[in-house]
Amino acid sequence: MTAQATPETTTPATRPHMPSVHTRALITWLAIFPLVSLGMLLLGPVMEPWHPVLRALLLTALVVPAAVYVVVPRLMAGHGALSRKAVERSARRAARKSA
């Protein structure tokens, strides 16, 4: 079982930073692109005779909530976990160098 970091035990040097706008954009794209591709593959044959605006309306009505409420939060959590590990490794290296 791992100990949870609390604000009292986490120093600013070991606290991960908010991802940059570029990282958030990449994470959002990584969520949206597969959902749009999957939606087009599954719904494309059904929606082929529809007007393109109606196709886009239905596809975005399905993709945006799935991305916002499910996929992006999970990708952000994964990015946060990787960032925390990187910050912890960096702090351990710095502690070893100063010791």
Side-chain angles (χ1 to χ4, degrees):
M1 188 156 133
T2 60
Q4 292 291 328
T6 62
E8 301 86 39
T9 61
T10 305
T11 64
T14 60
R15 194 174 304 136
H17 299 285
M18 179 73 161
S20 72
V21 67
H22 305 296
T23 301
R24 291 189 313 249
L26 177 63
I27 288 171
T28 302
W29 181 83
L30 286 172
I32 297 287
F33 178 75
L35 291 172
V36 168
S37 298
L38 185 63
M40 288 174 62
L41 283 172
L42 295 176
L43 298 174
V46 174
M47 297 187 309
E48 192 171 341
W50 297 10
H51 190 277
V53 173
L54 290 177
R55 282 187 262 171
L57 178 68
L58 177 63
L59 191 57
T60 57
L62 297 172
V63 166
V64 170
V68 169
Y69 295 116
V70 179
V71 181
V72 171
R74 289 183 180 179
L75 290 175
M76 291 295 283
H79 176 270
L82 290 174
S83 294
R84 278 189 299 280
K85 287 180 183 180
V87 168
E88 289 168 4
R89 278 194 305 269
S90 176
R92 281 196 302 266
R93 270 191 234 117
R96 272 188 271 154
K97 277 186 178 180
S98 66

